[in-house]
Amino acid sequence: MRGRAVAACAIAVLIAACTNATTVPSAPPAGSASAPPATASIAPSGPSATPRDPATAAVQAFVAFASNKKSSYQATFTGADRHTTDILKITKGLLQVDGADVLVRATFTYPNGDRYVVEHRDVDGRAWIRFASEPWARLRDFVAADSMAAFPAVRGPNDATYLGPKTVAGKTLYQVQVRSAIVNPVMIPASNLTEVEVTSPKLVVLVDTRGRPVRGTAEITGRGRVSGQLQEIVIDLEVTFTKVGQPVSIAAP
């Protein structure tokens, strides 16, 4: 707490003697109200927000939902995977989350029209992946930090950055940016792709007045070696949330 300069001169005749008053710490008077907690962590660069305004309430409610280890939701998504050699369309994307359990399924289409359905499941701390009709394979190096859920990195207010309001179809929604990799590059169906990793994943999600996610835009930046050559990978997604707060069922393969 910053010290306050205190001129300890209570009697008018001593005012002249206080011209050289020293700076000392000062505690608030007994019984006085303490200052409200700072909210800069949820609105560091966006429009100013007071604890009573709808934006702050919405972001706080979103953080509570996203950080709840029992939250469940579903989302659909489309987008593209871009790297040096190819651009793959991503369609029919499905994300399901039940606490720490996650299911992700998407169709990747190459420029020549070849399509591959890829599915990932993460249940009870064990992860699997399946490419097209191939057998399920364990992702043994997959850890909790690699989760493809939308909000695994949100544990408190410091993990969500408020970017301001946005009007969509006549309704005011609130933009919040979080770290998120709904589609990890490990899902790209390419046998010559190795050593993949995520480097800069982000999701700008629009939440309603109750803090429930409505839609979002993801940009997942990573890298990997294609036939031994190191390349940057960028996955862009448009995400629509459904069944927020409703139960979903995810089973191990």
Side-chain angles (χ1 to χ4, degrees):
M1 179 176 183
R2 296 180 179 177
R4 300 177 182 173
V6 179
C9 304
I11 304 174
V13 296
L14 297 179
I15 293 177
C18 297
T19 56
N20 295 319
T22 58
T23 300
V24 297
S26 174
S32 64
S34 58
T39 58
S41 58
I42 62 173
S45 57
S48 60
T50 65
R52 293 184 178 180
D53 76 18
T56 299
V59 175
Q60 290 175 342
F62 165 73
V63 170
F65 172 80
S67 60
N68 188 332
K69 295 181 180 179
K70 296 183 179 180
S71 289
S72 61
Y73 53 89
Q74 179 172 296
T76 59
F77 59 86
T78 60
D81 156 44
R82 297 182 282 111
H83 45 98
T84 303
T85 55
D86 283 304
I87 297 178
L88 282 63
K89 291 183 179 180
I90 301 174
T91 58
K92 299 181 180 179
L94 174 67
L95 167 68
Q96 292 183 325
V97 177
D98 180 17
D101 296 343
V102 182
L103 181 152
V104 180
R105 184 189 304 124
T107 299
F108 291 78
T109 304
Y110 276 82
N112 65 1
D114 288 348
R115 296 183 180 183
Y116 299 89
V117 178
V118 182
E119 184 168 339
H120 159 73
R121 296 188 196 182
D122 189 351
V123 180
D124 293 332
R126 294 184 295 174
W128 294 265
I129 196 165
R130 179 173 64 181
F131 297 96
S133 58
E134 295 180 8
W136 285 96
R138 280 287 305 276
L139 291 172
R140 299 188 182 277
D141 295 331
F142 210 77
V143 297
D146 298 319
S147 174
M148 294 188 217
F151 313 121
V154 180
R155 299 180 179 89
N158 291 335
D159 300 319
T161 302
Y162 175 54
L163 301 180
K166 184 174 183 177
T167 302
V168 179
K171 294 183 179 181
T172 300
L173 301 175
Y174 304 97
Q175 302 175 94
V176 184
Q177 181 174 307
V178 300
R179 182 180 175 86
S180 176
I182 293 174
V183 174
N184 187 298
V186 73
M187 291 191 67
I188 299 171
S191 59
N192 61 339
L193 177 62
T194 60
E195 299 180 30
V196 296
E197 65 175 312
V198 174
T199 56
S200 179
K202 66 179 180 181
L203 170 67
V204 176
V205 59
L206 299 178
V207 304
D208 62 17
T209 55
R210 298 183 300 163
R212 299 300 179 95
V214 177
R215 63 179 65 179
T217 302
E219 182 181 81
I220 303 153
T221 303
R223 58 178 170 242
R225 292 190 179 276
V226 178
S227 297
Q229 181 184 7
L230 186 63
Q231 295 187 14
E232 183 181 58
I233 298 170
V234 180
I235 299 173
D236 297 311
L237 302 174
E238 294 292 331
V239 186
T240 301
F241 289 90
T242 62
K243 295 186 178 181
V244 176
Q246 300 180 31
V248 296
S249 180
I250 303 170

